[in-house]
Amino acid sequence: MVLELQKPRPIWQIMFSTHHTDVGLLYLITSLAFLFMGGALALAIRAELFFPGSQIIADSMTFNRIFTVHGTTLIFLFIIPFASAVGNYFVPIMVRYKDMAYPKLNAIAFWMIPPSGALIWLGFADFTWYATPPYSIISAPGPAADMWIFGLKILGVSSVLGAINFVVTILKCKHPDMSIGQVPLLAWSFLTSSLIIIVAIPTFAAALLMLLTDRLGVSGFFNPAMGGDPIAYAHLFWFTFHPEVYVLVIPAIGMMYEIIPRFSRKPIFSHSSGIFAFVLLSVVSFSSWAHHMYATGMSFTEKTVFMIGTLAAVPASAMHVFNFIATMWNGRIKFATPMMWAVGGIALFFSAGAGGVVNAAMPLDFQTHDSYWVVGHFHLFVMGTIAFGSIGYLYYMFPYVTGRMYNENMGKVHFVMSFVGTVLVFFTQHVLGLYGMPRRVFDYPPIPEWITMNQIASVGAMIIGTSMVIFLINMIYSSAKGKLADTDDPFNLGGKYYYPFESKNPHHN
C-alpha cells in the first residue's frame, strides 16, 4: 500500500489516474493547500483584532470578505476533502477491494473541487459562510455572491458523488468473507457520514437554487419585500449544516479509532459500540438543527423538542470517548506523534462538547447567542477535535504513503505548540463571549478586558501559525529525505493488530 513516491512518476500520471490511492493523494495535497490558505486568513483576522481600531485591514467590507472565505475554505475545501483523501486511500484496502466502486466518478468528484475553490476565492464574497438573507439577496454585491453560490453548488455535487461511491464500495464491494460487523470502524465512519451527506446536501442545494433565483429577481422565497421568509432559509441551511458538523467530525473520530488501539497495543475495547455510536450520531444529527435558532421566535414546545434532540448526541459522543479511554486503560501506550494528536483531540473534544451542552440549553443559549462564546465553541470543535484527529492521522499515514518517516521531534513540537495555541485562542474566546463581545465585528470599543483577551487569542493564533510552518517543513523534507520506513511496522509497535493491511493494492486496470 505504499504509494510509489520512491519511484517518481510524471505528475500527469497521478493527475489523470483514477486509482484510489492517486485520487486520495490529489485530495490530500489540495486539502492541505487550502488549509494553509484558510489559515493565513485566520492570522490576518487575529492580527486585525489585536488592538481596537483598524490595524492591517482597510475596512469592514474587506474584513467580512476575509472571514467569509476563511470559513468557507477551511470547512468545505480543507476538512471535507481531507476526509475524502483518507477514505479514498484506505477504505478500499480496508474492505479488501481493488479500488473504489466507481473509479472514474471518483476522479470526477475530485476535479470539481479546484474550480469550486477558484470561484470562492476569486469572488471573495462578504456575507459569511451562512449567506443568510435578506442581506445575501438584497445587498451582497454580485458577482461575488453568485460565484460563492455556484462554488458551493459544485462542491455539493462533488460531496454527493463521493458519498455514493463510499456507500457502494463499503456495502457492495467488501470481501465476501468480511461481514458488515467486521468492517473497520474508520470505514464505518465513512459509511455513516456518507449517508448523512446523501440525505442532507440536497436540501441545501435546493436552498442555494432558491437563493440564486431570489438574487436574479425571478422569485421571492426569502425576500421579505416579495413576501418571502428569511427564517425559511435558516431552517433549510441548518437542516443541512447541523448534520454536516457530524459529517466533519465522524471521520475524524474514525481516524482516532485507528490510532488509539494501535498505539495502546490493544484491540479496541468495543467494536460494536463504536458502530452503534456512529449510527446513533448519524440519526440524531437530524434532530437538532433548530437549536441554532432559539432566538427566532419558536414556541417553547418547539425549542424544548430541539433541546432534547440536541442533547441526544451527548450519550453517543460519550460512547466514543469511553471506548477510547477503555482501550487505553492498561495498554502499553506509545506516545508517538499520532497518539499525542489523538489524545489531545479527545481532551479538546470533551471540552468542546461541554460548551455544546451550554449552547443546547435554552436559558444559557440566550446568554451566549451571537457572542464570541459561539466562535470559541465552534472553533474548538473544528480545530481541537476534527483538525487534531486529521493531522494525527496524517502523521500516522505518512510512512504508509511515502515509504519514509517524518521527523518525530518536529512532530511533537508541532503538537505541543498547536495544543497550547488552541487553548489560548479558543478557551479565551469562550470567556470573551461571556464578557459580552459580539462575533463578526471588525472593530470593538477599548474595553480593557476585551483588549487583553483579544491579544491572548491573537498570540495563540500566531503560535499555531508558527507550528504549521514547522509541520510543512517536516512534511516536505521528510517525504524526500526522511529515513526509509519499515511499512510493516513503521512505529516499532511490535505487530499488526486489527485488520490485515494488504502489502499491495493493485492498480485498477
Side-chain angles (χ1 to χ4, degrees), residues 50-62:
F50 196 87
F51 289 113
S54 176
Q55 310 300 320
I56 62 170
I57 300 174
D59 51 53
S60 59
M61 176 69 80
T62 306

Side-chain angles (χ1 to χ4, degrees), residues 30 34 77 108-120 154-155:
T30 305
F34 281 118
L77 297 171
I108 291 171
F110 164 75
W111 281 108
M112 289 182 174
I113 293 176
S116 307
L119 283 169
I120 291 165
I154 297 171
L155 284 174

Side-chain angles (χ1 to χ4, degrees), residues 107-421:
I108 291 171
F110 164 75
W111 281 108
M112 289 182 174
I113 293 176
S116 307
L119 283 169
I120 291 165
W121 272 77
L122 293 174
F124 233 56
D126 69 329
F127 48 28
T128 82
W129 73 281
Y130 299 74
T132 306
Y135 179 80
S136 58
I137 297 171
I138 300 169
S139 301
D146 304 311
M147 292 171 73
W148 184 92
I149 291 171
F150 275 109
L152 265 288
K153 285 198 75 69
I154 297 171
L155 284 174
V157 174
S158 168
S159 293
V160 171
L161 293 180
I164 291 171
N165 223 341
F166 279 125
V167 170
V168 176
T169 303
I170 295 168
L171 293 183
K172 294 295 184 182
C173 301
K174 64 181 176 59
H175 195 280
D177 293 341
M178 177 184 283
S179 71
I180 189 66
Q182 293 173 319
V183 169
L185 287 169
L186 179 58
W188 261 102
S189 73
F190 282 99
L191 176 61
T192 50
S193 60
S194 296
L195 291 172
I196 296 174
I197 288 174
I198 292 170
V199 174
I201 289 293
T203 303
F204 186 57
L208 282 178
L209 187 61
M210 296 158 74
L211 190 67
L212 182 63
T213 57
D214 278 10
R215 284 183 57 80
L216 295 174
V218 297
S219 64
F221 296 110
F222 311 125
N223 187 351
M226 299 176 69
D229 182 6
I231 300 299
Y233 176 86
H235 278 289
L236 294 172
F237 179 90
W238 286 117
F239 179 79
T240 297
F241 283 100
H242 191 80
E244 187 77 6
V245 171
Y246 295 92
V247 170
L248 307 180
V249 74
I250 286 176
I253 293 173
M255 295 174 205
M256 292 178 187
Y257 269 121
E258 286 294 301
I259 295 171
I260 288 172
R262 194 65 62 89
F263 286 87
S264 300
R265 294 182 245 210
K266 285 176 61 185
I268 190 69
F269 175 74
S270 173
H271 188 91
S272 57
S273 71
I275 295 173
F276 179 74
F278 279 138
V279 173
L280 186 59
L281 273 179
S282 66
V283 173
V284 302
S285 67
F286 288 97
S287 65
S288 50
W289 82 86
H291 89 253
H292 295 269
M293 303 165 58
Y294 286 155
T296 59
M298 287 189 296
S299 70
F300 180 79
T301 302
E302 290 170 328
K303 286 185 281 195
T304 303
V305 169
F306 283 108
M307 182 176 74
I308 294 171
T310 306
L311 295 175
V314 174
S317 303
M319 288 171 69
H320 289 305
V321 175
F322 179 81
N323 228 349
F324 292 144
I325 294 173
T327 302
M328 288 188 283
W329 192 265
N330 285 334
R332 293 186 298 120
I333 299 174
K334 181 173 182 176
F335 279 105
T337 300
M339 187 64 171
M340 294 176 74
W341 282 93
V343 172
I346 294 169
L348 296 174
F349 180 46
F350 183 82
S351 304
V357 171
V358 171
N359 294 340
M362 279 185 285
L364 299 174
D365 179 74
F366 278 106
Q367 299 299 315
T368 58
H369 185 77
D370 265 348
S371 73
Y372 250 86
W373 171 282
V374 180
V375 179
H377 163 66
F378 179 69
H379 282 78
L380 188 60
F381 197 68
V382 171
M383 176 67 190
T385 304
I386 301 169
F388 269 53
S390 300
I391 293 173
Y393 199 77
L394 180 59
Y395 279 108
Y396 176 68
M397 68 192 285
F398 187 87
Y400 294 114
V401 172
T402 65
R404 295 179 181 273
M405 283 301 294
Y406 58 84
N407 184 295
E408 185 70 24
N409 290 331
M410 292 176 76
K412 289 179 177 176
V413 170
H414 178 206
F415 165 75
V416 171
M417 292 179 69
S418 295
F419 189 84
V420 170

Side-chain angles (χ1 to χ4, degrees), residues 86 188 426:
V86 172
W188 261 102
F426 305 121

